[in-house]
Each structure stands twice: as structure tokens, then as C-alpha cells.
Amino acid sequence: MPARLYGVRPSKGAVPLILHLHGGAFTGGTLECGAYIAALLAEAGAVVVSADYPLACEHPFPFALTAAFGALAALYSRRAEFAGRSAPLYVAGEESGGNLAAGLAMMARDQQSPPLAGQILISPMLDPSLATASLRAAEAGTCGCKWADGWQKYLGSPEKAAHPYAAPLASSRLQGLPPALVVSAQDCPMRDESARYACALEKAGVATELHILPGPTHWHESISAPPERPEAWAGAMRTLFSRFFESSRPRRRKPTLAVL
């Protein structure tokens, strides 16, 4: 997969290493569309590899997810090269990329590799039923709903909607997933399913942070490579990312002295 690298490997120590996946309702989106979020993650102190995964028009589920998992495993094996030998590994994505990031977290848990320090889900597409109030209130356009069309192309057939890797919000087994940062906005179509997934993760015992930024942000328009950064929420995003890296980063245990 083509990819872009953001951030700088430190001369000493290690920084968070992130596999980032752009949005585009599974059927669109490019590395350029993901550049804005990838840059914010890098500005928060991470090294980011933003990957251009296969789109669902030609490759329905699970093709993109399997390809992304291969990229994640390869990135983990080369973490010393990119971000330092002890670099913690994260997955991140917005919209359809957030769906893939959530699916990758499940796959890594189930296969017990690679170890993930956290998942960053930015207004993820998680519910193919499209039944939330925030999505119904969205302006879908005159030629049909791009999210409905995207789900149809991605799933390929209705029974795929029952697969937890494809539709994480329907999963009944969320225990053991890495810590999650879930971010959306008051005026985002994915707001409600983002909040529902964060609640489900928390109920399953997963350390979870949910942040709904106040509107208006024109979130679903400005999230993909806007001509000018909407600083009203860009600063808040950088702060959330930085704090999440600090709170989720694995801590080395100090050696204990035995008292004889």
C-alpha cells in the first residue's frame, strides 16, 4: 500500500508509532484526505504512517482490513527504524478509517499480536443500520447517502453486517481491547455511533475517553484536508492526542528489592 510518513524519529528514546487510515466512506478518500489528521497526530508527538488502503469498490470486506493488518504487523516489526526500539504502537482513523482501526484492534487482540498501546477513533463509521439521530439529521446530498452506499460496497452482502470486524458496534465481545480515544463533534453525522461505541467499550472494561467537541465545526466537511485548518478544534485535537499518548503509554515496572 502507498503510505506517507509524518513526524521525526527521536535521536534518543522512543515516541508513539501510529498506523493511520483516512476516511472516505470506504469507497473514496486518498492520502491527501488523511493528511490533516495525520499531521495533527504528528504534531502531538507521534510518528505517523498514513496508509492508502484498498477501496471497497473493487475490494469488499475483509480485503482492506486484512491488508491493513499486514501493514500493522510490518510496522511493528520495523518500529525501531521509525520511532525507536520501545515505541508503543497505535491505530488511528477517521470515519471509514476509524472503522478499520477499530477492526484492527480486535484482530490484534484475537491474534495476540502485534501489541497495541491504544486506538484513536475519530467519528468512526461503526453501524451499518444508519439509524442514529445524528446521521438522519446529516445532509446526505441529492444523489443518495454516501454512507449507505459506502456500507453497501464495503459489506458486499447483508450477512457481513453481523461480523464484528466489519461492524464493531454490533460486537458482543469488546473485553481485552486496548485503551481507546473516541472523538467526534456535536454536528458530526457519526456523533451518536461514536458515543455508543465508547459507552460499550467502557462497559466492557476498556479504558475509554470520549470527547464530543461543540459545534458548529462543519466536521464532516473540514475533517478531510480542509484548505485552512479550523483552529477552533484543531488545538483541542492536538491536546487530546498528546494526553492520550501520555495516559496510555505502557509503563515499565520498576524493579523491586527483596527484603531478606
Side-chain angles (χ1 to χ4, degrees):
M1 289 184 290
R4 285 184 181 177
L5 180 65
Y6 297 79
V8 180
R9 183 189 184 281
S11 57
K12 294 182 179 180
V15 296
L17 177 61
I18 302 175
L19 176 65
H20 167 259
L21 303 162
H22 62 74
F26 297 115
T27 58
T30 62
L31 290 175
E32 189 60 33
C33 292
Y36 182 39
I37 295 297
L40 287 177
L41 289 164
E43 290 169 12
V47 169
V48 182
V49 174
S50 186
D52 195 12
Y53 55 88
L55 298 180
C57 300
E58 298 180 359
H59 303 289
F61 175 83
F63 195 95
L65 187 64
T66 302
F69 189 76
L72 183 66
L75 196 59
Y76 178 69
S77 69
R78 298 176 62 185
R79 63 192 182 283
E81 173 187 346
F82 287 106
R85 186 169 60 87
S86 60
L89 183 64
Y90 294 79
V91 288
E94 58 273 13
E95 202 219 34
S96 55
N99 173 291
L100 294 173
L104 288 176
M106 291 183 178
M107 291 183 70
R109 175 202 61 188
D110 294 344
Q111 299 192 28
Q112 300 183 11
S113 181
L116 293 181
Q119 51 183 320
I120 300 172
L121 311 177
I122 303 168
S123 291
M125 284 178 67
L126 301 170
D127 183 8
S129 69
L130 306 173
T132 63
S134 61
L135 193 55
R136 289 197 302 270
E139 178 59 52
T142 58
C143 298
C145 175
K146 67 177 181 180
W147 297 290
D149 294 342
W151 274 115
Q152 184 179 27
K153 294 286 187 181
Y154 182 60
L155 296 176
S157 56
E159 67 271 11
K160 298 287 182 62
H163 199 298
Y165 292 174
L169 190 57
S171 175
S172 60
R173 193 172 67 88
L174 299 176
Q175 296 85 353
L177 290 173
L181 171 64
V182 184
V183 185
S184 190
Q186 193 63 40
D187 56 347
C188 176
M190 307 303 154
R191 179 198 66 212
D192 292 350
E193 57 199 272
S194 299
R196 286 174 57 195
Y197 192 59
C199 182
L201 288 171
E202 191 171 28
K203 287 183 178 179
V206 178
T208 305
E209 296 181 30
L210 171 65
H211 297 273
I212 305 294
L213 302 183
T217 62
H218 306 291
W219 182 270
H220 58 292
E221 298 170 0
S222 61
I223 198 172
S224 297
E228 295 183 3
R229 291 190 171 192
E231 284 298 328
W233 57 268
M237 294 282 283
R238 281 191 293 266
T239 299
L240 290 175
F241 295 157
S242 178
R243 290 177 179 174
F244 183 65
F245 295 149
E246 180 61 28
S247 65
S248 59
R249 187 166 186 159
R251 299 287 191 265
R252 289 186 177 182
R253 293 184 178 181
K254 294 182 179 181
T256 57
L257 297 177
V259 179
L260 302 177

